[in-house]
Amino acid sequence: MKLICGQKKLANAINNAQKAINNRTTIELLRGILFSTKEDMLTVTGYDNELCIETKIDASVSKAGKIVVNSKLVGDIIRKLPDSMVSIEVDEDYNMFISCLNSRYKIKGINAEEFPVVADLETEKMIKFNQAEMRHMIRQTVFATANEPVNPILAGELIEVSEGHINMAAVDGYRLAVRKSILEDSSSDDISVIVPGTTLNHLNSLLSDDGDFYMGVDPKNIVFVLGNTKITARLMDGNFTKYDSLLPKEYMSKVLVNTRNLRESVERAALLFSSEKNNIIKVSVSSGMMVITANNENGNAYEEINIELEGEDLEIAFNSRYFLDGIKNIDSEFIEIELGGPVNPCIIKPVDGVEYIYLILPVRVSN
């Protein structure tokens, strides 16, 4: 293999591929990145048996070929090179020679013949969607997926497409985040799949605030295409929680509050907590006022916030981090909080028209 390409584009392609590398794997081949050429194109691929990320960049290819090289080593070298043209050549012993201006490197590679081949997804139709909107949808939901749950499905997120709408939902047993949006193409086929939360985090890191991307599924995989980068990931098998049934139909009290004021008050109160344990805040609402209190061995906190209250006075307690997660992912100036009682689920949602619902379970505390 012999080629010349730009350092910036190559570094970006390697950075994308590295997101798919599982550094804990004992398989040397999967700790590497695949370089392969076809005509005047270099494809850089990372794969971990569940997720594949490949990026194609323009290159002047004088000899076709492919090789696998250590992900971290080649990435560190390419990123440190000057912003100029990079020459890459591979010999018969799988040595990769890299040169750029006054820099020369030789690194040992691996025969790429046994590198897993990810087949192109066979999907009848790709769904077009706005990148910026998907970034918002992922940001407002993926944090509610569970880490290492007893039920593996809780580590995934539901994506539904139906009747010109797309819904995304994540639940971890303590909270639920649901975000809905409208598709430009209302003729899209119905979809209901569960995607690993880690896959969506990787997708989110590649999305920009401009342009569109494409999404397609087959019975086992999902693919996202963003310009010259393609992400292919395994879908999760199982039944997702029927989240609509978790949403309360009525409330005892409804609070209208300034989002920033509430977020900053909770953040200050949470400064008392040095760990995830015993990080409980108590919330008391009465006419025109919300009081947030917290206390532990480090001291106590008291915060007052002006509110508008509809319904009854109420006292309730929450895990401060879970409560903050919902608030800080809402961009609306004001939010509504619907409270069904001290032991019933709480609903938090924006008032700016964005279809977003965050449900959180309260914490039972003694008086």
Side-chain angles (χ1 to χ4, degrees), residues 67-267:
I67 188 174
V68 176
V69 288
N70 181 273
S71 166
K72 185 178 187 308
L73 179 58
V74 72
D76 289 346
I77 291 172
I78 297 298
R79 274 190 289 272
K80 294 292 185 179
L81 291 176
D83 181 7
S84 185
M85 301 306 292
V86 177
S87 172
I88 295 177
E89 187 171 354
V90 177
D91 66 16
E92 294 179 354
D93 295 322
Y94 306 109
N95 295 303
M96 175 181 279
F97 299 88
I98 303 170
S99 61
C100 178
L101 297 181
N102 298 322
S103 301
R104 305 283 188 275
Y105 289 86
K106 169 188 170 184
I107 59 176
K108 187 66 179 175
I110 307 172
N111 187 338
E113 291 301 324
E114 294 183 9
F115 194 87
V117 176
V118 179
D120 287 335
L121 197 69
E122 293 184 8
T123 177
E124 304 229 341
K125 189 174 182 182
M126 299 286 280
I127 299 170
K128 179 181 177 182
F129 198 66
N130 180 266
Q131 291 195 49
E133 180 69 354
M134 179 54 71
R135 287 188 71 182
H136 289 306
M137 295 185 75
I138 294 174
R139 177 175 63 88
Q140 292 180 318
T141 55
V142 74
F143 67 86
T145 57
N147 295 319
E148 300 181 358
V150 175
N151 179 2
I153 289 298
L154 298 183
E157 181 161 348
L158 179 68
I159 298 180
E160 298 176 305
V161 173
S162 179
E163 298 180 350
H165 288 76
I166 179 169
N167 304 334
M168 297 178 66
V171 59
D172 68 359
Y174 301 98
R175 66 260 183 89
L176 162 71
V178 181
R179 178 68 152 81
K180 302 182 179 182
S181 189
I182 298 174
L183 290 172
E184 294 179 15
D185 183 4
S186 60
S187 65
S188 302
D189 295 336
D190 288 359
I191 291 174
S192 181
V193 295
I194 305 172
V195 182
T198 52
T199 295
L200 293 175
N201 279 322
H202 290 316
L203 171 63
N204 204 34
S205 70
L206 297 173
L207 291 168
S208 70
D209 290 327
D210 300 307
D212 298 316
F213 74 101
Y214 294 85
M215 177 176 68
V217 299
D218 69 10
K220 294 185 177 180
N221 303 283
I222 188 166
V223 63
F224 304 99
V225 179
L226 305 82
N228 62 343
T229 297
K230 181 170 71 172
I231 302 174
T232 306
R234 294 266 184 91
L235 295 172
M236 302 180 73
D237 293 325
N239 296 316
F240 198 81
T241 302
K242 295 186 182 300
Y243 63 88
D244 283 339
S245 66
L246 302 177
L247 300 174
K249 301 298 187 291
E250 56 188 25
Y251 55 84
M252 181 185 299
S253 309
K254 182 163 73 171
V255 173
L256 178 68
V257 61
N258 181 277
T259 308
R260 180 177 178 179
N261 291 346
L262 178 58
R263 186 190 72 244
E264 291 180 348
S265 293
V266 177
E267 286 174 342

Side-chain angles (χ1 to χ4, degrees), residues 11-39:
N12 180 68
I14 292 173
N15 184 59
N16 292 346
Q18 286 179 327
K19 299 178 191 300
I21 303 296
N22 181 356
N23 291 318
R24 292 175 296 179
T25 183
T26 58
I27 304 173
E28 184 180 6
L29 202 64
L30 296 185
R31 288 202 300 268
I33 286 178
L34 173 66
F35 285 66
S36 59
T37 58
K38 185 177 181 181
E39 298 176 348

Side-chain angles (χ1 to χ4, degrees), residues 6-63:
Q7 182 269 342
K8 289 291 186 185
K9 289 184 177 180
L10 180 56
N12 180 68
I14 292 173
N15 184 59
N16 292 346
Q18 286 179 327
K19 299 178 191 300
I21 303 296
N22 181 356
N23 291 318
R24 292 175 296 179
T25 183
T26 58
I27 304 173
E28 184 180 6
L29 202 64
L30 296 185
R31 288 202 300 268
I33 286 178
L34 173 66
F35 285 66
S36 59
T37 58
K38 185 177 181 181
E39 298 176 348
D40 286 331
M41 192 75 67
L42 169 65
T43 301
V44 182
T45 304
Y47 183 65
D48 74 347
N49 281 326
E50 298 289 335
L51 174 70
C52 175
I53 301 178
E54 63 177 45
T55 299
K56 299 179 184 295
I57 63 172
D58 294 328
S60 176
V61 180
S62 54
K63 185 178 180 181

